[in-house]
């Protein structure tokens, strides 16, 4: 059986990551890519997920479904983030095992690493220190997913492994100002400020934290490469290899959007982790490198923002 003839399920196809994986699979000629909306399949319902897997007989599964959000959402709804993510990933991973799925890739987040992990962060840093408090619930759920894949691989010999992307952006991002991540929030706020002819835009935090960003289609290419690599196992960081201060990022977004006013930072708001740059050498060793530079990616993302509906999506389901 060729790779492209395999039956593949992408959980979370409406979210930014899942939709990018679906685009990449179609681009590479995959013939049987299966998706389900939340109304068709409730991923928090164990029986529904188990029955679905038993009927479908998938060869490969991408777990990109999750409840996601920024600092405000994580701080406000920690129980929701913990419960829903634990249920979604547990049902998918265990049902894939019961249905004898050949390979499964679990998508996590760089927030699983300790707040003060040595930079750049290596995969071995997992569980070596305290997490960033503002998104601890989400991180704990994702750590559980990583360990589930490791445990099923160890106990049952299955090819279940994990990818930890850095901060992502791109097509189908979430632009809700209360629940989005920093880059899409900046795009929306600075666009709206330009339209209103505002002279000043306040930005949360001091502007000094540094973040790494990766265009989501670069992540999708990495995920498909991982799925097709025979020796893939364990945990893989997937990042661009460079970071940028939030103040420089905001200035870059303002330039791309065309906002000519002033940016003022509010240090009374939380900064989150001071720096978060990941070591992606393990993934690079499989022959993957990012292709989209940050400015180019922001420009493409801004065009997607201009052409999309403004209705917010806070979950990739």
């Amino acid at each position: 059986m060729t790779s492209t003839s395999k039956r593949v399920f992408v959980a979370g196809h409406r979210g930014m990551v899942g939709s990018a994986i679906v685009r990449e699979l179609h681009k590479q000629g995959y013939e049987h890519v299966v998706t389900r909306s939340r109304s068709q399949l409730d991923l928090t319902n164990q029986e529904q997920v188990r029955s679905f897997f038993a009927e479908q007989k998938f060869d490969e599964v991408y777990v990109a479904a999750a409840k996601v959000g920024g600092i405000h959402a994580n701080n406000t709804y920690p129980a929701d983030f913990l419960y829903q993510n634990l249920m979604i990933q547990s049902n998918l991973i265990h049902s894939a095992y019961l249905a004898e799925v050949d390979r499964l890739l679990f998508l996590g987040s760089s927030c699983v690493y300790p707040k003060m992990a040595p930079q750049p962060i290596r995969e071995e840093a997992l569980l070596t220190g305290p997490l960033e408090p503002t998104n601890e619930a989400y991180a704990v759920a994702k750590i559980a997913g990583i360990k589930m894949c490791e445990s099923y691989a160890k106990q049952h010999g299955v090819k279940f492994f994990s990818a930890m992307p850095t901060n992502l952006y791109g097509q189908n991002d979430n632009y809700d100002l209360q629940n989005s991540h920093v880059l899409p929030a900046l795009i929306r706020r600075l666009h709206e400020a330009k339209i209103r002819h505002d002279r000043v835009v306040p930005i949360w935090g001091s502007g000094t934290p540094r973040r790494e960003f990766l265009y989501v289609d670069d992540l999708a290419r990495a995920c498909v490469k991982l799925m097709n690599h025979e020796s893939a196992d364990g945990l893989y960081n997937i990042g661009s290899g460079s970071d940028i201060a939030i103040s420089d990022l905001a200035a870059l977004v303002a330039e791309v959007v065309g906002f000519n006013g002033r940016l003022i930072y509010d240090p009374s708001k939380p900064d989150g982790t001071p720096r978060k740059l990941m070591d992606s050498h393990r993934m690079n060793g499989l022959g993957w490198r990012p292709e989209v530079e940050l400015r180019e990616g922001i420009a493409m993302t801004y065009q997607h923002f201009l052409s999309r509906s403004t209705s917010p999506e806070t979950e990739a389901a």
Side-chain angles (χ1 to χ4, degrees), residues 183-246:
L183 204 158
L186 284 170
I187 288 175
R188 178 172 172 182
R189 291 186 68 191
L190 291 172
H191 169 77
E192 292 178 351
K194 180 185 75 169
I195 298 302
R196 292 191 303 261
H197 303 288
D198 292 347
R199 294 182 178 181
V200 175
V201 170
I203 306 292
W204 267 37
S206 66
T208 59
R210 300 185 67 84
R211 291 292 181 271
E212 178 184 26
F213 294 93
L214 182 71
Y215 194 64
V216 71
D217 290 76
D218 275 335
L219 170 68
R221 290 191 306 102
C223 290
V224 177
K225 179 176 280 291
L226 263 180
M227 187 67 86
N228 287 308
H229 204 286
E230 270 307 310
S231 64
D233 69 328
L235 174 61
Y236 292 83
N237 288 341
I238 304 179
S240 63
S242 62
D243 59 4
I244 183 172
I246 295 300

Coordinates of all heavy atoms in Angstrom, one line a residue, residues 183-246:
L183 N 0.1 36.8 17.9 CA 0.3 37.3 16.6 C -1.1 37.6 15.9 O -1.2 38.7 15.4 CB 1.1 36.4 15.7 CG 1.9 37.0 14.5 CD1 3.1 36.2 14.1 CD2 0.9 37.2 13.4
P184 N -2.0 36.7 15.9 CA -3.3 37.1 15.3 C -4.0 38.2 16.0 O -4.7 39.0 15.4 CB -4.1 35.8 15.4 CG -3.4 34.9 16.5 CD -2.0 35.3 16.3
A185 N -3.8 38.3 17.4 CA -4.4 39.4 18.1 C -3.8 40.7 17.6 O -4.5 41.7 17.5 CB -4.2 39.2 19.6
L186 N -2.5 40.8 17.4 CA -1.9 42.0 16.9 C -2.4 42.3 15.5 O -2.6 43.5 15.2 CB -0.3 41.8 16.9 CG 0.4 41.9 18.2 CD1 1.9 41.4 18.0 CD2 0.3 43.3 18.8
I187 N -2.5 41.3 14.6 CA -3.0 41.6 13.3 C -4.4 42.3 13.4 O -4.6 43.3 12.7 CB -3.1 40.3 12.5 CG1 -1.6 39.8 12.1 CG2 -3.9 40.5 11.2 CD1 -1.6 38.5 11.4
R188 N -5.3 41.7 14.1 CA -6.6 42.3 14.2 C -6.6 43.7 14.8 O -7.3 44.6 14.3 CB -7.6 41.3 15.0 CG -9.0 41.9 15.1 CD -10.0 41.0 15.7 NE -11.2 41.7 16.0 CZ -12.3 41.1 16.5 NH1 -12.2 39.8 16.8 NH2 -13.4 41.8 16.7
R189 N -5.9 43.8 16.0 CA -6.0 45.1 16.7 C -5.4 46.2 15.8 O -5.9 47.3 15.8 CB -5.2 45.0 18.0 CG -5.9 44.1 19.0 CD -5.2 44.1 20.3 NE -5.4 45.4 21.0 CZ -4.7 45.8 22.0 NH1 -3.8 45.0 22.6 NH2 -4.9 47.0 22.6
L190 N -4.3 45.9 15.2 CA -3.6 47.0 14.4 C -4.4 47.2 13.1 O -4.4 48.4 12.6 CB -2.2 46.5 14.1 CG -1.3 46.5 15.3 CD1 0.1 45.9 15.0 CD2 -1.1 47.9 15.9
H191 N -5.0 46.2 12.5 CA -5.9 46.5 11.4 C -7.0 47.4 11.7 O -7.3 48.4 11.0 CB -6.4 45.2 10.8 CG -7.5 45.3 9.8 ND1 -7.2 45.7 8.5 CD2 -8.8 45.2 9.9 CE1 -8.3 45.8 7.8 NE2 -9.3 45.5 8.6
E192 N -7.7 47.1 12.8 CA -8.8 47.9 13.3 C -8.4 49.3 13.6 O -9.1 50.3 13.4 CB -9.6 47.2 14.4 CG -10.3 45.9 14.0 CD -11.0 45.1 15.1 OE1 -10.8 45.5 16.3 OE2 -11.7 44.2 14.8
A193 N -7.2 49.4 14.3 CA -6.7 50.7 14.6 C -6.4 51.5 13.3 O -6.7 52.8 13.3 CB -5.4 50.6 15.4
K194 N -5.9 50.9 12.3 CA -5.7 51.6 11.0 C -7.0 52.1 10.5 O -7.1 53.2 10.0 CB -5.0 50.6 10.1 CG -4.7 51.3 8.7 CD -4.1 50.3 7.7 CE -5.2 49.3 7.2 NZ -4.7 48.5 6.0
I195 N -8.0 51.2 10.5 CA -9.3 51.6 9.9 C -9.9 52.8 10.7 O -10.5 53.7 10.1 CB -10.3 50.4 9.9 CG1 -9.8 49.2 9.1 CG2 -11.7 50.8 9.5 CD1 -9.5 49.6 7.7
R196 N -9.7 52.8 12.0 CA -10.3 53.9 12.8 C -9.4 55.1 12.8 O -9.8 56.1 13.4 CB -10.5 53.4 14.3 CG -11.5 52.3 14.5 CD -11.8 52.2 16.0 NE -10.6 51.8 16.7 CZ -10.3 50.6 17.0 NH1 -11.1 49.5 16.7 NH2 -9.1 50.3 17.7
H197 N -8.2 55.0 12.2 CA -7.2 56.1 12.3 C -6.8 56.4 13.7 O -6.5 57.6 14.0 CB -7.8 57.4 11.6 CG -8.3 57.1 10.2 ND1 -7.4 56.9 9.1 CD2 -9.5 57.1 9.6 CE1 -8.1 56.7 8.0 NE2 -9.3 56.8 8.3
D198 N -6.6 55.4 14.5 CA -6.1 55.6 15.9 C -4.7 56.1 15.8 O -3.9 55.6 14.9 CB -6.2 54.3 16.7 CG -7.6 53.9 17.0 OD1 -8.6 54.7 16.8 OD2 -7.8 52.7 17.4
R199 N -4.3 56.9 16.8 CA -2.9 57.3 16.9 C -2.1 56.4 17.8 O -0.9 56.4 17.6 CB -2.9 58.8 17.4 CG -3.5 59.8 16.4 CD -3.4 61.2 16.9 NE -3.9 62.2 16.0 CZ -3.9 63.5 16.2 NH1 -3.4 64.0 17.4 NH2 -4.5 64.3 15.3
V200 N -2.7 55.8 18.7 CA -2.0 55.0 19.7 C -2.7 53.6 19.9 O -4.0 53.6 19.9 CB -2.0 55.7 21.1 CG1 -1.3 54.8 22.1 CG2 -1.2 57.0 21.0
V201 N -2.0 52.5 20.0 CA -2.5 51.2 20.3 C -1.8 50.7 21.5 O -0.5 50.5 21.5 CB -2.3 50.2 19.1 CG1 -2.7 48.8 19.6 CG2 -3.2 50.7 18.0
P202 N -2.5 50.3 22.6 CA -1.9 49.7 23.8 C -1.6 48.2 23.5 O -2.4 47.5 22.9 CB -2.9 49.9 24.9 CG -4.2 50.0 24.2 CD -3.9 50.6 22.8
I203 N -0.5 47.7 24.0 CA -0.1 46.3 23.8 C 0.1 45.7 25.2 O 0.8 46.3 26.1 CB 1.2 46.2 23.0 CG1 1.1 46.9 21.7 CG2 1.6 44.7 22.8 CD1 0.1 46.3 20.7
W204 N -0.5 44.5 25.4 CA -0.3 43.8 26.7 C 1.2 43.5 27.0 O 1.9 43.1 26.1 CB -1.1 42.5 26.7 CG -2.5 42.6 27.2 CD1 -3.3 43.7 27.1 CD2 -3.1 41.7 28.0 NE1 -4.5 43.4 27.7 CE2 -4.4 42.2 28.3 CE3 -2.8 40.4 28.5 CZ2 -5.4 41.5 29.0 CZ3 -3.8 39.7 29.2 CH2 -5.0 40.2 29.5
G205 N 1.6 43.7 28.3 CA 2.9 43.3 28.7 C 4.0 44.4 28.4 O 3.8 45.4 27.9
S206 N 5.2 44.0 28.7 CA 6.4 44.9 28.5 C 7.0 44.9 27.1 O 7.7 45.9 26.8 CB 7.5 44.5 29.5 OG 8.0 43.2 29.1
G207 N 6.6 43.9 26.3 CA 7.2 43.9 25.0 C 8.6 43.2 24.9 O 9.1 43.0 23.8
T208 N 9.1 42.8 26.1 CA 10.5 42.3 26.1 C 10.5 40.7 25.9 O 11.6 40.2 25.5 CB 11.2 42.6 27.4 OG1 10.4 42.1 28.5 CG2 11.3 44.1 27.6
P209 N 9.5 40.0 26.3 CA 9.6 38.5 26.0 C 9.8 38.2 24.6 O 9.4 38.9 23.7 CB 8.2 38.0 26.4 CG 7.7 39.0 27.4 CD 8.2 40.3 26.9
R210 N 10.5 37.1 24.4 CA 10.9 36.7 23.0 C 10.1 35.4 22.7 O 10.0 34.5 23.5 CB 12.4 36.4 22.9 CG 13.2 37.6 23.2 CD 14.7 37.4 22.9 NE 15.0 37.2 21.5 CZ 15.2 38.2 20.6 NH1 15.1 39.4 21.0 NH2 15.4 37.9 19.4
R211 N 9.6 35.4 21.4 CA 8.8 34.2 21.0 C 9.3 33.7 19.6 O 9.7 34.5 18.8 CB 7.3 34.6 20.9 CG 6.7 34.8 22.3 CD 6.6 33.5 23.1 NE 5.9 33.7 24.4 CZ 6.5 34.1 25.5 NH1 7.9 34.2 25.5 NH2 5.9 34.3 26.6
E212 N 9.2 32.5 19.4 CA 9.5 31.8 18.1 C 8.1 31.6 17.4 O 7.2 31.2 18.0 CB 10.2 30.5 18.4 CG 10.5 29.7 17.2 CD 11.1 28.3 17.5 OE1 10.8 27.8 18.7 OE2 11.9 27.8 16.7
F213 N 8.1 31.8 16.1 CA 6.9 31.7 15.3 C 7.2 30.8 14.1 O 8.2 30.9 13.4 CB 6.3 33.0 14.9 CG 5.9 33.9 16.0 CD1 6.7 34.8 16.6 CD2 4.6 33.7 16.5 CE1 6.3 35.5 17.7 CE2 4.2 34.5 17.6 CZ 5.0 35.4 18.2
L214 N 6.2 30.0 13.8 CA 6.3 29.1 12.6 C 5.0 29.2 11.8 O 3.9 29.1 12.4 CB 6.5 27.6 13.1 CG 6.7 26.6 11.9 CD1 8.0 26.8 11.2 CD2 6.6 25.2 12.5
Y215 N 5.1 29.3 10.5 CA 3.9 29.4 9.6 C 3.3 28.0 9.6 O 4.0 27.0 9.5 CB 4.3 29.8 8.2 CG 3.1 30.2 7.3 CD1 2.3 31.3 7.7 CD2 2.8 29.4 6.2 CE1 1.3 31.6 6.9 CE2 1.8 29.8 5.4 CZ 1.0 30.9 5.7 OH -0.1 31.2 4.9
V216 N 2.0 27.9 9.7 CA 1.3 26.6 10.0 C 1.5 25.6 8.8 O 1.5 24.4 9.1 CB -0.2 26.8 10.3 CG1 -1.0 27.3 9.1 CG2 -0.8 25.6 10.9
D217 N 1.7 26.1 7.6 CA 1.9 25.1 6.5 C 3.2 24.5 6.6 O 3.4 23.4 6.1 CB 1.7 25.8 5.2 CG 0.2 26.2 4.9 OD1 -0.3 27.2 5.6 OD2 -0.5 25.5 4.2
D218 N 4.2 25.2 7.2 CA 5.5 24.5 7.4 C 5.4 23.4 8.4 O 6.0 22.4 8.3 CB 6.5 25.6 7.9 CG 7.2 26.3 6.8 OD1 7.3 25.8 5.7 OD2 7.7 27.5 7.0
L219 N 4.5 23.6 9.5 CA 4.3 22.6 10.4 C 3.6 21.4 9.8 O 4.0 20.2 10.0 CB 3.4 23.1 11.6 CG 2.8 22.0 12.5 CD1 3.9 21.4 13.3 CD2 1.7 22.5 13.4
A220 N 2.6 21.7 8.9 CA 1.9 20.6 8.2 C 2.9 19.7 7.4 O 2.8 18.5 7.4 CB 0.8 21.1 7.3
R221 N 3.8 20.3 6.7 CA 4.8 19.5 6.0 C 5.6 18.7 6.9 O 5.9 17.5 6.6 CB 5.8 20.5 5.2 CG 5.1 21.2 4.0 CD 6.2 21.9 3.1 NE 7.0 22.8 3.9 CZ 8.2 22.5 4.3 NH1 8.8 21.4 4.0 NH2 8.9 23.4 5.0
A222 N 6.0 19.2 8.1 CA 6.8 18.4 9.1 C 5.9 17.3 9.6 O 6.5 16.1 9.7 CB 7.2 19.3 10.2
C223 N 4.7 17.5 9.8 CA 3.8 16.4 10.3 C 3.7 15.2 9.4 O 3.8 14.1 9.7 CB 2.4 17.0 10.7 SG 2.4 18.1 12.1
V224 N 3.5 15.5 8.1 CA 3.3 14.5 7.1 C 4.7 13.8 6.9 O 4.7 12.5 6.8 CB 2.8 15.1 5.8 CG1 2.8 14.0 4.7 CG2 1.4 15.7 6.0
K225 N 5.8 14.5 7.0 CA 7.1 13.9 6.9 C 7.3 12.9 8.1 O 7.8 11.8 7.9 CB 8.2 14.9 6.9 CG 9.6 14.3 6.8 CD 10.7 15.4 6.7 CE 10.8 15.8 5.2 NZ 11.3 14.8 4.3
L226 N 6.9 13.4 9.3 CA 7.0 12.5 10.5 C 6.2 11.2 10.3 O 6.7 10.1 10.6 CB 6.6 13.2 11.7 CG 7.6 13.9 12.6 CD1 6.9 14.6 13.8 CD2 8.6 12.9 13.1
M227 N 5.0 11.4 9.8 CA 4.1 10.2 9.7 C 4.7 9.2 8.7 O 4.5 8.0 8.9 CB 2.7 10.7 9.3 CG 1.7 9.6 9.2 SD 1.2 9.0 10.9 CE 0.0 10.2 11.4
N228 N 5.4 9.7 7.8 CA 5.9 8.7 6.7 C 7.3 8.3 7.0 O 7.9 7.6 6.2 CB 5.8 9.4 5.4 CG 4.4 9.5 4.9 OD1 3.7 8.5 4.8 ND2 4.0 10.7 4.5
H229 N 7.9 8.7 8.1 CA 9.3 8.3 8.4 C 9.3 7.1 9.3 O 8.8 7.1 10.4 CB 10.0 9.5 9.1 CG 11.5 9.4 8.9 ND1 12.3 8.5 9.6 CD2 12.4 10.1 8.2 CE1 13.6 8.7 9.3 NE2 13.6 9.6 8.4
E230 N 9.9 6.0 8.8 CA 9.8 4.7 9.5 C 10.4 4.8 10.9 O 10.0 4.1 11.8 CB 10.6 3.6 8.7 CG 9.7 2.9 7.7 CD 8.4 2.3 8.3 OE1 8.5 1.6 9.3 OE2 7.3 2.6 7.8
S231 N 11.4 5.6 11.1 CA 12.1 5.6 12.4 C 11.5 6.6 13.4 O 12.0 6.7 14.5 CB 13.6 5.9 12.2 OG 13.8 7.2 11.7
A232 N 10.4 7.3 13.0 CA 9.9 8.3 13.9 C 9.4 7.6 15.2 O 8.7 6.6 15.2 CB 8.7 9.0 13.2
D233 N 9.8 8.2 16.3 CA 9.3 7.7 17.6 C 9.5 8.8 18.7 O 10.3 9.8 18.5 CB 10.1 6.5 18.0 CG 11.5 6.8 18.4 OD1 12.1 7.7 17.7 OD2 12.1 6.1 19.2
G234 N 8.8 8.8 19.8 CA 9.0 9.7 20.8 C 8.4 11.1 20.6 O 7.3 11.3 20.0
L235 N 9.2 12.1 20.9 CA 8.8 13.5 20.8 C 9.7 14.3 19.9 O 10.9 14.2 20.0 CB 8.9 14.0 22.3 CG 8.6 15.5 22.6 CD1 7.2 15.9 22.1 CD2 8.8 15.8 24.0
Y236 N 9.1 15.2 19.1 CA 9.8 16.0 18.2 C 9.4 17.5 18.4 O 8.2 17.8 18.2 CB 9.6 15.6 16.7 CG 10.1 14.3 16.4 CD1 9.4 13.1 16.7 CD2 11.4 14.2 15.7 CE1 9.9 11.9 16.3 CE2 11.9 12.9 15.4 CZ 11.2 11.8 15.7 OH 11.7 10.6 15.3
N237 N 10.3 18.4 18.6 CA 10.1 19.8 18.6 C 10.0 20.2 17.1 O 10.8 19.8 16.3 CB 11.2 20.6 19.2 CG 11.2 20.5 20.8 OD1 10.2 20.1 21.3 ND2 12.3 20.8 21.4
I238 N 9.1 21.2 16.8 CA 9.0 21.7 15.4 C 8.9 23.2 15.5 O 7.9 23.8 15.9 CB 7.8 21.1 14.7 CG1 7.9 19.6 14.7 CG2 7.8 21.7 13.3 CD1 6.7 18.9 14.0
G239 N 10.0 23.9 15.2 CA 10.1 25.3 15.3 C 10.9 25.9 14.1 O 11.5 25.2 13.3
S240 N 10.9 27.2 14.1 CA 11.6 27.9 13.0 C 13.1 28.1 13.3 O 13.9 28.3 12.3 CB 11.0 29.3 12.8 OG 11.2 30.1 14.0
G241 N 13.5 28.0 14.5 CA 14.9 28.1 14.9 C 15.4 29.5 15.3 O 16.5 29.7 15.6
S242 N 14.5 30.5 15.3 CA 14.8 31.8 15.7 C 13.6 32.5 16.4 O 12.5 32.1 16.2 CB 15.2 32.7 14.5 OG 14.2 32.8 13.5
D243 N 13.9 33.4 17.2 CA 12.8 34.1 18.0 C 12.9 35.6 17.8 O 13.9 36.1 17.2 CB 12.8 33.7 19.4 CG 14.1 34.1 20.1 OD1 15.0 34.7 19.5 OD2 14.3 33.7 21.3
I244 N 11.9 36.3 18.3 CA 11.8 37.8 18.1 C 11.1 38.3 19.3 O 10.3 37.7 19.9 CB 11.0 38.1 16.8 CG1 10.9 39.6 16.6 CG2 9.6 37.5 16.9 CD1 10.3 40.0 15.2
A245 N 11.6 39.5 19.8 CA 10.9 40.2 20.9 C 9.5 40.6 20.5 O 9.3 41.0 19.3 CB 11.8 41.4 21.3
I246 N 8.6 40.6 21.4 CA 7.2 41.0 21.1 C 7.1 42.4 20.6 O 6.3 42.7 19.7 CB 6.3 40.8 22.4 CG1 6.3 39.3 22.8 CG2 4.9 41.4 22.2 CD1 5.7 38.4 21.8

